[in-house]
Amino acid sequence: MPKYYEDKEEDGQACGGVREDLRQCLLESSCVLQENKSPKQCLREGHCRSLQMTFFACKRSMVSVCGMFPARSFH
């Protein structure tokens, strides 16, 4: 169960709670603990996929669509 809503301090980073949960999920996974692989390698192998997708969606939602395209003049 994600813990990002439980007693977490604001770290000032976008999506910080989800990032922390993803980090914890990877560090507590059998891939890291039993197979002694790096968290980065475990992430690439598909561990904690749902939190990875949630983090991606959160970061993507932070992008302003209006700032991505040049202003058009309709004169």
Side-chain angles (χ1 to χ4, degrees), residues 7 10 12-13 15 38 47-48 51-52 55 59:
D7 301 324
E10 284 294 320
Q13 294 181 337
C15 309
S38 72
H47 294 272
C48 305
L51 281 171
Q52 182 183 17
F55 181 64
K59 292 294 277 187

Side-chain angles (χ1 to χ4, degrees), residues 3 18-52 55:
K3 302 172 190 169
V18 180
R19 174 185 289 135
E20 177 64 23
D21 284 347
L22 178 58
R23 182 181 157 279
Q24 278 303 116
C25 178
L26 289 168
L27 291 175
E28 295 172 1
S29 70
S30 61
C31 180
V32 171
L33 295 176
Q34 295 171 357
E35 299 174 28
N36 294 320
K37 295 180 182 178
S38 72
K40 189 173 188 176
Q41 187 176 2
C42 294
L43 189 63
R44 287 185 183 146
E45 292 178 2
H47 294 272
C48 305
R49 180 64 77 192
S50 62
L51 281 171
Q52 182 183 17
F55 181 64

